[in-house]
Amino acid sequence: MASDLYNTIDALSREKGINPQIVVSAVEDAIVVATRKYYKTQENLRAELDKETGKINAYAVKTVVEAPEQVEDPLLQITVDDARKVDPNVAVGGEVRFPKVTEGILGRIAAQLAKQVIFQKVREAERDTVYNEYIGRVGEIVNATVKRIEGPDVIFDLGKAESRMPRKEQSRLESFAIGERVRVVIARVERASKGPAVVVSRAAPELVQHLFQTEVPEIYDGTVVIRAIAREAGERTKIAVMSKDKDVDAVGACVGMKGMRVQSIIRELRGEKIDIIEYHEDAVTFAEKALQPAKVSRVSVLEGTEKHLEVVVDDSQLSLAIGKKGQNVRLAAKLLGWKIDIKSEEEKRQEVEQQMSQLVTPTTTPLENVPGLGEGLVEKLGASGITTVEALADMTPEQLEAIEGIGPKTVEKISLAVNNYFSSLEGGEAAGPEGEAAAEAPEGQEGQEASPDGLLTGGAAPEEVAGTEAAQAASEIETAEVAQATEEQTQEPAQEPASSEGKR
């Protein structure tokens, strides 16, 4: 028959939900601590509880060695000869126990110390039990009772342990009264100095999934499957469902007759809005559904590997597609797992126009690329802020002569060089098709290749070369005549303004 002490230990273990052997070990460790404190010894002490009598015996344990020279610490080791005086059957490597008197000598202080050790061991065992109980139940839905409210946190009673629901795990639409029973999700279990902290949530998407499984039989039996959930607690939830049976409407099954099923879930969530969407494997079609109630004009995939979509909506639908504070598009992106860019028709049109304008933007050519301009002249023009051929071509002779170090002859030289440059560009463009045709010519015309300016060299026909030289000469004569006429106009003295008839 077990002693009263052991029966008390067994009752305590049942109350705390821990193994009775853990409490027995705690009591034995407490006796060891008290005995060591009383005897002030460094011996290896052990204690044993006798279940029948309830008496706790303390012992000093020593390890048996063969020879005296092997004894390193007399408090911990003993030779085999001395050990056999206590226990004739002991062998080398065994242990010999020497009883320590504890009854009636430990006193009040030792008993108080033993009590503290027992309580500490029991608390640690209780923490480990709670942690092991709930660490494997993360994500599970449990019924909890509101025990108390500590500031923004709500403390729930789970039966075997207390749980805490911080503010960020609550819905802004909900408030709780002490004693109220609610369904919560076990979010995580944390090890803390004061014991394991079980954190529960009413904002997790798993709660919505559990409510749909409870209210919709088709989801419970697997006919309708929930593929994705995106939720912002207290605001809106988007849930994507798919039917495995072609005769069952997934969205209709979740809504129920006259919306009875979904309305029951909305009441449980204190009025949170719920969008039920039909799931599609195609990301483009799924995006159009996910952005409801906005109507989407078109969806295009910008980057498949990076999962990036561009959605274009009508100007009147832009604010509806984005939602309040971007909520609608944010939930849709979370539901799809893709990044979504939303643009209106007007924004898309402006973007296309800007891209087209960048394509037709004229290029600029540095002055160093123009043959006929010396380094000194390029430096003078550059000092005046003229660095490109296009800017130089837009200037009048009077503006050029206003630059220090540039006279009429220099202006004529600049004009001739610029005209020759643009003439060479036009000639290169005109000769481009001819060069292609020449490249496809018969084998008798081998050795022709395109030069950087587009003209054919190394094998052109004499007639083509003569034609090109004649055109260049005519262009130079025309340029010289224009430059001479410009110079004569600049050298004429100022005259009285002529009448309109004289000008004609």
Side-chain angles (χ1 to χ4, degrees), residues 455-478:
L455 297 177
L456 293 177
T457 60
E463 293 82 358
E464 294 177 352
V465 176
T468 304
E469 292 177 353
Q472 184 174 357
S475 177
E476 293 178 356
I477 294 173
E478 183 180 357

Side-chain angles (χ1 to χ4, degrees), residues 5-25 27 122 125-126 129:
L5 176 60
Y6 188 81
N7 291 334
T8 303
I9 292 174
D10 187 62
L12 177 64
S13 302
R14 293 174 184 269
E15 179 184 352
K16 298 296 184 179
I18 58 179
N19 189 350
Q21 186 57 39
I22 296 178
V23 183
V24 171
S25 299
V27 173
V122 170
E126 188 178 5
T129 302

Side-chain angles (χ1 to χ4, degrees), residues 3 42 74 129 175 181 197 218 245 249 265-266 293 426 439 443 473:
S3 63
Q42 298 298 322
T129 302
S175 59
R181 287 185 62 83
E218 289 83 356
D245 189 346
D249 180 16
I265 297 173
I266 291 175
E426 295 174 359
E443 296 180 1

